[in-house]
């Protein structure tokens, strides 16, 4: 049998020869509208949930709209695992690069920047302007790498609380977020119940299932198995791109659904004329995942991926605030609530939102719930066309008018 000349089928062979936007692990999102707030300077470091001290801390954030005279129209948008502060493109009538939630945030949209003062900040531990593992450690003048302390959702929210202090916002009209952003919403409700009027938790959970932790762990192992990871100290050498790309490919599968993949790709081939009969890129879905992995490497830091997925795995509202009882944890909540899940979300399935809702009803909290029929999987909250925008617009309008 003729021996085939097999080209290297690993995702590295599909990488474009393009200068990465990740420099020293820190992404430059190129937004002219990004602002920075630095706190926890020398002698005032923030004590993290794990007990370590961190400082100074810089938070990258963006704002849209105007804070009204009595400062009662502020909405905090919390991003998910790999998001950043750039939720929306439109700023003061000018359009910049696309935001990750453009169909939701903007003039006349569900989170209407003509009515609300909208704030979105990059989370602690990330790599889009906020302090994280790729930031310089003031003690060594080198990037922290794995010397960066473990951070939790609590720490992310406490940092957001400091940003609200800085912006002079005592009480938020609403805190909104999906996925890991939804965890931040829940943490806000438990930690700062008097600092918010309402909460919108989308496609989220009060704690990860064993399956969700398992997927995160496989993704983390992919990064740590990359020889370039070097125990997290790679900022002055080759970066663990292969590991990070595979980690994103694993994660991305969990953000879609069987039906979405069937509709988008089925078993269709990249080159319909022939099967390569090699370990190559035959199926469209293979090519698509490689593309998603490659793109992710251009905008995200591997250590941030490790730290933020771990923070999401540790998040457990009942353990943190209710000695294991969700009903007890939720008894701290004062916000009026909208909970939304999606039928095809198998990462944080609807039963998890229903558990949260049940605990809120047991505490007589004013909570609305909607399970949206959508086939796009967990990431449906990032896509237009599901009716999410109308739902959020109606809820926020009702909160504003005390309905
Ligand atoms: C909440 C937050 O904080 S948001 C944070 C971060 N943002 C994200 O996570 C966005 C990344 N996630 C995604 O892209 C998710 O797939 C979604 C579901 C949100 C987007 O869905 P869609 O808009 O339907 O995009 P889709 O999944 O089809 O991907 C389109 C991309 O795949 C590429 N693609 C499609 N088919 C193929 C293929 N066969 N081979 C290679 N690439 C392909 C497209 O060219 C396009 O590339 P581009 O994004 O570089 O332009
Ligand atoms: N795809 C989104 C949501 C994942 O939960 C992200 O990467 O942040």
């Amino acid at each position: 049998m003729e021996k085939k000349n097999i080209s290297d089928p690993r995702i590295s062979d599909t990488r474009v020869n393009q200068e990465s936007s990740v420099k020293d692990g820190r992404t430059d999102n190129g937004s002219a509208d990004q602002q920075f707030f630095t706190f926890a300077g020398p002698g005032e470091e923030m004590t993290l949930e794990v007990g370590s001290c961190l400082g100074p801390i810089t938070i990258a954030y963006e704002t849209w709209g105007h804070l009204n005279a009595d400062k009662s129209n502020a909405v905090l948008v919390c991003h998910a695992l790999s998001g950043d502060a750039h939720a929306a493109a439109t700023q003061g009538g000018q359009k910049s690069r696309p935001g990750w939630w453009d169909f939701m945030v903007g003039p006349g949209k569900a989170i209407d920047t003509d009515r609300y003062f909208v704030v979105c900040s990059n989370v602690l531990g990330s790599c889009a302007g906020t302090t994280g593992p790729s930031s310089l450690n003031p003690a060594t003048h080198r990037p922290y790498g794995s010397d960066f302390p473990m951070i939790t959702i609590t720490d992310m929210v406490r940092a957001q609380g400091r940003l609200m202090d800085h912006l002079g916002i005592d009480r938020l009209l609403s805190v909104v977020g999906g996925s890991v952003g939804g965890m931040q919403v829940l943490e806000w409700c438990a930690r700062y119940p008097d600092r918010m009027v309402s909460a919108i938790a989308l496609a989220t959970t009060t704690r990860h299932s064993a399956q969700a932790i398992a997927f995160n762990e496989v993704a983390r192992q992919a990064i740590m198995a990359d020889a370039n990871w070097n125990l997290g100290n790679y900022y002055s050498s080759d970066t663990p791109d292969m590991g990070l790309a595979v980690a994103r490919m694993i994660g991305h599968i969990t953000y879609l659904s069987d039906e979405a993949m069937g509709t988008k790709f089925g078993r269709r081939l990249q080159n319909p004329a022939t099967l390569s009969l090699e370990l190559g890129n035959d199926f469209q879905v293979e090519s698509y995942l490689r593309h998603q992995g490659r793109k992710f490497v251009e905008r995200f830091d591997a250590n941030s991926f490790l730290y933020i997925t771990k923070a999401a795995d540790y998040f457990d509202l009942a353990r943190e605030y209710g000695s294991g009882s969700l009903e007890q944890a939720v008894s701290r909540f004062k916000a009026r609530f909208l909970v939304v899940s999606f039928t095809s979300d198998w990462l944080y399935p609807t039963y998890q939102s229903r558990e949260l809702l049940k605990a809120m009803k047991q505490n007589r909290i004013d909570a609305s719930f909607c399970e949206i029929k959508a086939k796009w999987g967990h990431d449906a909250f990032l896509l237009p066309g599901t009716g999410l925008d109308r739902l959020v617009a109606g809820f926020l309008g009702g909160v504003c008018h005390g309905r």
Side-chain angles (χ1 to χ4, degrees), residues 77-87 99-101 120 177-181 248 252 255-256 260 264-265 268-270 281 283-292 294-296 299-300 376-384:
V77 171
C78 303
H79 71 71
L81 168 64
S82 70
D84 56 30
H86 193 62
W100 58 263
W101 227 14
C120 182
S179 191
V180 177
R248 183 59 169 181
H252 202 80
Y255 307 150
L256 303 183
K264 276 173 190 273
F265 313 109
R268 285 188 290 281
L269 303 175
Q270 274 300 101
N281 221 355
F283 295 98
Q284 285 184 8
V285 69
E286 293 176 304
S287 167
Y288 169 78
L289 283 178
R290 291 174 188 207
H291 178 78
Q292 293 291 341
R294 189 169 61 231
K295 262 182 68 176
F296 193 61
R299 72 173 177 91
F300 214 73
W376 304 117
H378 174 68
D379 265 357
F381 75 98
L382 292 169
L383 293 170

Side-chain angles (χ1 to χ4, degrees), residues 136-143:
L136 279 191
N137 179 349
T140 63
H141 302 286
R142 289 199 305 269

Side-chain angles (χ1 to χ4, degrees), residues 140-195:
T140 63
H141 302 286
R142 289 199 305 269
Y144 282 100
S146 43
D147 285 341
F148 195 72
M150 196 51 69
I151 41 109
T152 63
I153 302 291
T154 302
D155 298 321
M156 295 175 189
V157 165
R158 285 179 59 221
Q160 288 163 353
R162 292 293 298 269
L163 175 63
M164 293 308 119
D165 296 341
H166 168 70
L167 295 173
I169 299 166
D170 293 334
R171 197 155 186 250
L172 287 152
L173 178 68
S174 201
V175 184
V176 187
S179 191
V180 177
M183 294 178 189
Q184 294 157 50
V185 172
L186 299 177
E187 179 71 29
W188 261 93
C189 293
R191 178 156 294 272
Y192 300 125
D194 295 314
R195 292 196 72 174

